[in-house]
């Protein structure tokens, strides 16, 4: 299946687009009426992907006894008399000219063909030729060549057009998938990964009342932090803001949510927000200068601690996915530095230039997905490698498969979550999303897939 959109969702979306239709009410132009009696309207429900002039013979037959006898080509206009360019799909024309209501009112003309405004269309072959030329034009714009189209057999080329002409989706898609499967993954995956990288959490920091050393309360401190970063990377900025209101000799500051629960800095900001802060925006985080809860959270004296933890977590994730960490150990000093610097300085290109070497290896060598299930409570994290494929080794494992295996009490027999919200990178993906897709697109910078479960 494609790595960009879960196979079932993609299939349903494509089918829904193909089945989209436009009800049209055709009426004869008054300028073409040759009888005292007006003809009845002619109704057709046309698919969005088809072309108006493919139905001209049916339209002509309906209005023939009311219109001039020797008209060669009929043409169409909207209610305002604007000629409709037949070379664009029906759905496009409707969106452009007809979306005031249903059915779309289209006027039929038998005379005065406006050849200075619309192309002539004497027969079906003209439409077919235009379709194929447009297809080649689109393919060239996408890939810089039309080799794959030129290599289609006569039968394949015929099936492609026949699918449009006769509304046979299977016949069309069997061929078009050869052309379009090359186009979706890289573009959509790139946009999705970029969107995940740009995701951020607005945070409102306040000083703990236990640490206040002045009569005056300090103003709040606001930061908009990327989901992939770490809270303690910004501790110096936070310290500087609250320093004149807090104890002078504090070594390490730490953070808690509104309820006083210490926040484990080694998890990305986005994961912590999904787990503790998703009641509202901005996320309210309390800053503490004293009584570091070392029995609950790791100490974090400096940036090198975070960097080391990040690299170790990355190795752990890679080992769970492939059974080794060879490719990470083979990174040069510069590559390893760039990987961390990308996270530290929010330089996505710098990070992804290296991380793609690690993550693009995933198919077909992927053994398992490195998963961390996050829940509130004393045991915040359940970490498991989960098989990327079902036991038949051909079907990709899904989010539902994992939940049934690791937290079965949260899933009903029908496959729905029971009194639970689920988040991955701040969104709630369908439970039939495949793990390979989730791993490729929604894994954190440390390459773990974090699944946050919240009880309702």
């Amino acid at each position: 299946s494609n790595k960009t959109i879960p196979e079932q969702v993609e299939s349903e979306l494509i089918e829904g687009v193909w089945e989209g239709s436009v009800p049209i009410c055709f009426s004869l132009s008054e300028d073409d009426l040759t009888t005292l009696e007006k003809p009845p309207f002619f109704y057709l429900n046309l698919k969005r992907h088809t072309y108006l002039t493919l139905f001209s013979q049916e339209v002509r037959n309906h209005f023939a006894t009311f219109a001039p006898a020797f008209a060669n080509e009929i043409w169409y206009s909207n209610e305002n008399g604007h000629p409709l360019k037949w070379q664009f799909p029906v759905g496009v024309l409707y969106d452009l000219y007809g979306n005031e209501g249903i059915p779309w009112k289209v006027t039929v003309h038998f005379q005065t063909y406006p050849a200075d405004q619309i192309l002539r269309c004497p027969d079906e072959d003209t439409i077919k030729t235009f379709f194929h030329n447009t297809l080649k034009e689109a393919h060239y714009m996408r890939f810089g060549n039309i080799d794959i189209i030129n290599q289609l057999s006569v039968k394949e080329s015929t099936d492609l057009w026949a699918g449009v002409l006769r509304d046979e989706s299977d016949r069309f898609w069997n061929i078009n998938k050869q052309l379009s499967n090359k186009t979706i993954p890289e573009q959509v995956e790139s946009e999705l990964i970029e969107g995940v990288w740009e995701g951020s959490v607005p945070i409102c920091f306040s000083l703990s009342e236990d640490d206040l050393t002045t009569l005056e309360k300090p103003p709040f401190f606001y930061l908009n932090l990327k989901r992939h970063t770490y809270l303690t990377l910004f501790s110096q900025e936070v310290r500087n803001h609250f320093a004149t209101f807090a104890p002078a000799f504090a070594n390490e500051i730490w953070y808690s949510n509104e309820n006083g629960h210490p926040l484990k800095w080694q998890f990305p900001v986005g994961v912590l927000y999904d787990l503790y802060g998703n009641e509202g925006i901005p996320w309210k985080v309390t800053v503490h200068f004293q009584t570091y809860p070392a029995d609950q959270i790791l100490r974090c004296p400096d940036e090198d601690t975070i960097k080391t933890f990040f690299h170790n977590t990355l190795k752990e994730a890679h080992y769970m996915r492939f059974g080794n960490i060879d490719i990470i150990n083979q990174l040069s000093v510069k590559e390893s530095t760039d990987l961390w610097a990308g996270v530290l300085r929010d330089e996505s290109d710098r990070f992804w230039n290296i991380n793609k070497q690690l993550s693009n290896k995933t198919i077909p060598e992927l053994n398992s997905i490195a998963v961390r299930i996050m829940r509130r409570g004393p045991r915040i994290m359940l970490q498991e490698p989960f098989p990327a494929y079902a036991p038949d080794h051909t079907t990709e494992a899904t989010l539902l498969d994992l939940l049934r295996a690791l937290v079965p009490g949260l899933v009903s027999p029908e496959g729905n979550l029971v009194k639970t919200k689920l988040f991955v990178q701040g969104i709630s993906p369908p439970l039939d999303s495949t793990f390979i897709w989730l791993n490729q697109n929604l894994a954190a910078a440390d390459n773990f897939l974090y699944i946050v479960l919240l009880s309702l």
Side-chain angles (χ1 to χ4, degrees):
S1 67
N2 290 341
K3 292 182 281 185
T4 57
I5 303 173
E7 189 173 331
Q8 183 177 351
V9 177
E10 178 182 326
S11 176
E12 290 174 357
L13 181 59
I14 289 173
E15 182 179 348
V17 171
W18 181 272
E19 292 301 322
S21 61
V22 178
I24 303 179
C25 171
F26 294 93
S27 62
L28 182 63
S29 167
E30 291 189 0
D31 295 337
D32 291 310
L33 187 60
T34 60
T35 62
L36 294 176
E37 180 188 358
K38 285 189 176 182
F41 297 124
F42 184 52
Y43 293 89
L44 285 176
N45 190 38
L46 302 187
K47 290 294 181 67
R48 289 182 59 91
H49 58 257
T50 195
Y51 298 88
L52 271 177
T53 43
L54 287 177
F55 301 87
S56 288
Q57 191 57 55
E58 293 179 54
V59 174
R60 180 192 294 274
N61 292 343
H62 179 82
F63 292 111
T65 57
F66 301 87
F70 301 104
N72 291 322
E73 295 175 70
I74 64 174
W75 57 282
Y76 306 92
S77 70
N78 67 350
E79 277 192 291
N80 299 325
H82 189 92
L84 300 176
K85 299 180 185 293
W86 60 262
Q87 67 267 36
F88 298 120
V90 165
V92 174
L93 293 174
Y94 171 72
D95 293 344
L96 194 58
Y97 295 114
N99 55 15
E100 292 83 5
I102 290 291
W104 180 24
K105 295 178 181 178
V106 171
T107 304
V108 183
H109 303 263
F110 277 65
Q111 301 179 110
T112 60
Y113 197 97
D116 59 331
Q117 298 183 65
I118 57 176
L119 299 173
R120 290 201 173 275
C121 183
D123 51 33
E124 181 194 308
D125 281 343
T126 303
I127 313 169
K128 176 182 176 181
T129 300
F130 200 93
F131 170 79
H132 279 295
N133 288 340
T134 304
L135 190 68
K136 289 178 180 179
E137 189 176 0
H139 205 78
Y140 185 84
M141 291 174 69
R142 294 153 96 184
F143 303 110
N145 64 72
I146 56 172
D147 297 343
I148 195 170
I149 295 181
N150 287 338
Q151 291 164 7
L152 291 177
S153 66
V154 173
K155 181 183 183 303
E156 288 173 327
S157 185
T158 300
D159 281 351
L160 194 64
W161 171 243
V164 176
L165 179 64
R166 301 188 176 92
D167 189 27
E168 298 175 3
S169 62
D170 289 344
R171 197 170 179 185
F172 173 82
W173 282 108
N174 284 341
I175 310 304
N176 196 54
K177 278 183 180 176
Q178 300 176 34
L179 314 179
S180 59
N181 275 2
K182 187 184 172 187
T183 64
I184 296 174
E186 289 185 12
Q187 181 180 353
V188 177
E189 179 179 323
S190 174
E191 291 174 357
L192 182 55
I193 289 174
E194 182 181 348
V196 170
W197 182 272
E198 292 301 322
S200 62
V201 178
I203 303 178
C204 172
F205 294 93
S206 62
L207 182 64
S208 167
E209 292 189 359
D210 295 336
D211 291 309
L212 186 61
T213 59
T214 63
L215 294 177
E216 180 188 358
K217 285 188 176 182
F220 298 124
F221 184 52
Y222 293 89
L223 286 174
N224 190 38
L225 301 187
K226 291 294 180 69
R227 289 184 60 91
H228 59 257
T229 196
Y230 298 88
L231 270 177
T232 43
L233 286 176
F234 301 86
S235 288
Q236 190 58 53
E237 294 178 53
V238 174
R239 181 193 294 274
N240 291 344
H241 179 82
F242 292 111
T244 57
F245 302 88
F249 302 105
N251 291 321
E252 295 175 69
I253 64 174
W254 57 282
Y255 307 94
S256 69
N257 67 351
E258 278 193 289
N259 298 325
H261 189 93
L263 300 175
K264 298 181 185 292
W265 61 263
Q266 68 268 33
F267 299 120
V269 165
V271 174
L272 293 175
Y273 172 71
D274 291 345
L275 193 59
Y276 295 114
N278 57 15
E279 290 83 7
I281 290 291
W283 180 23
K284 295 179 181 178
V285 171
T286 304
V287 182
H288 304 262
F289 278 65
Q290 301 180 107
T291 59
Y292 197 97
D295 59 331
Q296 298 182 65
I297 57 175
L298 299 173
R299 289 201 174 274
C300 184
D302 51 35
E303 182 193 308
D304 281 343
T305 304
I306 312 169
K307 176 182 175 181
T308 299
F309 200 93
F310 170 79
H311 279 295
N312 287 340
T313 305
L314 190 68
K315 289 178 180 179
E316 192 175 359
H318 205 78
Y319 186 84
M320 290 172 69
R321 294 154 90 186
F322 303 109
N324 65 72
I325 56 171
D326 296 344
I327 195 169
I328 295 181
N329 288 337
Q330 290 164 7
L331 291 177
S332 67
V333 173
K334 181 182 182 304
E335 289 173 326
S336 185
T337 300
D338 280 350
L339 194 64
W340 171 243
V343 175
L344 177 65
R345 300 188 177 93
D346 189 27
E347 298 175 3
S348 62
D349 289 345
R350 198 170 179 185
F351 172 81
W352 281 107
N353 284 341
I354 310 304
N355 196 53
K356 278 182 179 176
Q357 299 176 35
L358 314 180
S359 57
N360 279 359
K361 188 186 173 192
T362 55
I363 302 171
E365 300 173 50
L366 189 64
N367 296 323
S368 301
I369 305 297
V371 176
R372 284 179 166 176
I373 296 178
M374 311 294 293
R375 304 172 76 175
R376 295 175 184 174
R379 189 183 179 189
I380 185 175
M381 181 180 74
L382 171 62
Q383 178 173 304
E384 291 283 345
F386 195 79
Y389 292 91
D392 61 11
H393 301 293
T394 57
T395 305
E396 293 180 20
T398 66
L399 193 49
L400 183 59
D401 294 330
L402 174 131
L403 295 175
R404 281 176 168 160
L406 300 184
V407 282
L410 298 186
V411 182
S412 71
E414 296 77 25
N416 299 313
L417 286 172
V418 178
K419 297 182 179 179
T420 302
K421 283 185 179 180
L422 180 150
F423 296 100
V424 179
Q425 290 285 12
I427 64 175
S428 299
L431 297 186
D432 59 1
S433 301
T434 67
F435 262 116
I436 289 178
W437 181 84
L438 291 169
N439 178 73
Q440 287 286 91
N441 296 288
L442 298 182
D446 61 18
N447 282 205
F448 268 95
L449 183 66
Y450 289 88
I451 300 170
V452 174
L453 299 175
L454 298 179
S455 298
L456 297 178

